[in-house]
Structure formats: C-alpha cells, structure tokens
Amino acid sequence: MPPNLQAAIDRLRAGGVVAFPTETVYGLGADAFNESAVRRVFELKGRPANNPLIVHVADAAMARQVVAAWPREAEALAAAFWPGPLSLVLPRSPRVPDMVTAGSPNVAVRCPDHPLALELLRAFGPLVGPSANPSGQLSPTTADHVRAVFDKEDVPVLDGGPCRAGIESTVVSVIGTPRILRPGVIGAGDIERVINQHVETASYSEKGAHLDSPGRLASHYSPRAPAVLYSTEDELRELLDSTRGIVVIVTDSPTRLPPPPDRLIQMPRHAEAYAARLYAALHEADTAEPDLIAIHSPEPTGDAHEQGVWRAILDRLTRATTPPE
Ligand code: TXA
Ligand code: MG
C-alpha cells in the first residue's frame, strides 16, 4: 500500500478528513459512521446543515451497509454503472448518522471509478464525499484546486491526477418513480435503457426543489468573478463593449472577436471532453481576476447520450452564471 494511502487511512480512523480523487471531482472524505468526523466536513466546507452528503462505497455489497432497502432497480443500475458517476438515493440504514442525510430518511450512495478511491474505500469502509470545495464554489478537478482552498494541515490531499469525467455524478432517486435530482454524464436515457422505466428529471428551479435535494439550489458551482452566458457574436460584442476591465471568454466555437490570447479559453466541441475540461477552465478564468467571465452557451449536438451530457453541462453553466439570492 502506498505510504500516503496508509497515512490517509490512519487519519480517517482518527476521525479526520482527507481529500481523495474520483473520476468526477475530488471529494472531502470522512468516516460516514462517525458523526463528529462528518460535522468537521460541514464546518470545513461552510456547508448548510440541510444539504445531505453522498456516501461513497467500494461496491454494491458495501452499499448495502448504508441502505435499508436494495430494490431491483438499484441492483440493475449498480451492475450497469458502478464503479461510475451515478449516485443512488435509497432509504437509509439506521447506522448512518442523521447529519449525513440532513435528517432525511434517505441516503445517496455511489461507487466512484478511480483506482485510488476504490483502494481507500476497500481498506477503510464507507466515506462521505462532498466535492472538496467551499460551499457554492467551483468543484475541484485537480489536487492543486483542493490545495488552493484548504490548508494542508486541515485537508491533506491524496493526489490521483486530473479527474476524467469532470462534472459531479448524476443523482437519481430510486424511491418510487425514478427521478434525476442532479444531471450528470449518465443521462435519463442511459438509465431508462437499464431499468426499462421512464425516468423524470427534476428541475432545480422547481418550487420546493431544495427540499428533496438542496444541492439543486439555483446558484452553485460558481467562479469568484461574475460570469454570464452568451449565444451570439453580437451578444459577446455587447458584453465586451459594456464591461470596463478584463473579460475572459470561454468558448467552444471560433470567435471573430479575438481577445488577447490569455483571455480566450478554447473549449472542446465534444460533450464528454467539454465536461472534463469545464471546472478547470473556470478555475483558470478566475486566476486572471477578471471583471467578467463570458461563456458561450454550447449548442447540444450528437446522439441521445451526448445530448444528456450537454444537458448536465448546461445545468452547471446555468448555475455558475446565476448570482446568489
Ligand atoms: O461526483 C460526485 O457526486 C462528487 C464526488 C466527490 O463523488 N460529490 C459531490 O458531492 O458532488 P456534493 O456534496 O458536492 O453534492 C451532493 C449532491 C447534492 O446536490 C445533494 O443535495 C445531493 O447530492 N444529495 C446527497 N444526499 C442526498 C439525499 N439523501 N437525498 C437527495 N439528494 C441528496
Ligand atoms: Mg458540491
């Protein structure tokens, strides 16, 4: 076992917090069964106590330690997508502290697809794992993103390289009619094909949405600089004309308005590549301390699966550009 992995396990056993890599974003890990360790995670993130945490597990057998029911749909989805970027919301086991689920009778569980995370989970057991960023800010997709916001004494980082998928897992409730609570790279169509049932997608702006998944608050995943979405070259021109100071442009399409090269972040046109690059691009845009980040609203293209990925990307972009209430 690598020495830093052993050190991480020792720290977790002592009720401490460790950041760990997953295929989506880095997580802030703590013992899911230790209430004071979980409290520390909320404190470090400045996370409201009403926003529940996802429990990470090494496999379906470990998932069954944290849930009170394991319906056919859960079995089928875990078999199809785990390890992978899908969190299943199920009735929770009494072993899971109230604080993890924010008092909800349900818990979200997922098995991440990253060798280091899986080794950690196999050796330690279930870990809570919110994204390793202060609440409301951009999710980290590299170890350096985590190191930039947390002191290394508070949060040592297990470095597993850049995250492959780049946006957070799809959260799907499999209690009653299956419902997507947070879109991700696994879309409604992908899930429907496995369980042969219609899957609804809850809108984050829906009234009361915060009650069943507070992470769906409209403003979230935000860069520090103000950010806006634009569609046309004319809209971009207007933004450039009306903004005093620095504008960073993040775009997947060629632009005829060339800014200085350090103020243009070129995004890939392929949905999965775009998702993988999204947060790193917004972190990069922020480092220029611009007055505005202008993001071209990407045009969804491709097959049904790709359209689902674009939907998740647009969800994150919309929230990144929605000012806090
Ligand atoms: O990809 C991911 O899911 C990453 C990596 C680290 O695994 N984690 C992550 O966690 O994004 P976090 O805490 O940043 O987002 C968790 C989301 C929130 O939208 C939260 O409201 C929702 O999952 N959630 C967690 N538990 C829930 C529950 N019991 N019922 C409904 N929604 C839940
Ligand atoms: Mg988060």
Side-chain angles (χ1 to χ4, degrees), residues 75-92:
E75 181 63 33
L77 291 170
F81 296 115
W82 283 4
L86 184 71
S87 297
L88 302 173
V89 176
L90 289 159
R92 73 160 156 161

Side-chain angles (χ1 to χ4, degrees), residues 252-320:
D252 56 309
S253 72
T255 166
R256 281 178 291 107
L257 298 169
D262 58 328
R263 301 201 189 142
L264 179 72
I265 297 176
Q266 193 66 51
M267 298 299 284
R269 263 307 304 156
H270 185 269
E272 266 154 6
Y274 190 112
R277 176 96 178 88
L278 175 61
Y279 288 126
L282 295 180
H283 278 288
E284 203 177 303
D286 250 349
T287 57
E289 297 186 9
D291 296 276
L292 186 72
I293 302 173
I295 307 168
H296 178 252
S297 183
E299 202 64 58
T301 51
D303 60 15
H305 169 72
E306 257 197 86
Q307 299 271 348
V309 179
W310 284 119
R311 181 172 183 154
I313 290 167
L314 287 166
D315 166 83
R316 303 306 191 278
L317 287 177
T318 306
R319 295 200 249 179

Side-chain angles (χ1 to χ4, degrees), residues 29 51 57 80 108 112 134 151 175 178 197-198 228 244 248 272 281 285 291 301 310 313:
N51 194 357
V57 293
D151 194 286
I175 301 170
Q197 277 186 74
H198 174 68
V228 291
R244 271 174 217 273
V248 172
E272 266 154 6
D291 296 276
T301 51
W310 284 119
I313 290 167

Side-chain angles (χ1 to χ4, degrees), residues 202-258:
S203 152
Y204 59 82
S205 55
E206 171 184 309
K207 198 158 178 262
H210 60 284
L211 298 178
D212 63 352
S213 197
R216 290 196 283 131
L217 292 175
S219 175
H220 212 78
Y221 312 110
S222 303
R224 282 187 301 272
V228 291
L229 277 174
Y230 70 89
S231 297
T232 66
E233 199 85 332
D234 283 346
E235 281 171 41
L236 175 59
R237 188 185 305 274
E238 245 167 68
L239 287 170
L240 291 172
D241 286 348
S242 61
T243 309
R244 271 174 217 273
I246 301 175
V247 180
V248 172
I249 301 171
V250 177
T251 179
D252 56 309
S253 72
T255 166
R256 281 178 291 107
L257 298 169

Side-chain angles (χ1 to χ4, degrees), residues 20 22 24-28 45 47 51-54 56 87 89 100-101 104 106-108 110 112 129-133 139 167-169 171 181-182 212-216 220-221:
F20 64 100
T22 80
T24 59
V25 302
Y26 275 73
L28 213 48
K45 278 185 68 78
R47 180 164 176 126
N51 194 357
L53 306 180
I54 297 172
H56 293 63
S87 297
V89 176
V100 171
T101 69
S104 159
N106 308 320
V107 65
R110 98 166 183 104
S131 51
N133 53 277
S139 294
I167 58 175
E168 303 81 355
S169 62
V171 179
L181 304 178
R182 177 176 70 182
D212 63 352
S213 197
R216 290 196 283 131
H220 212 78
Y221 312 110

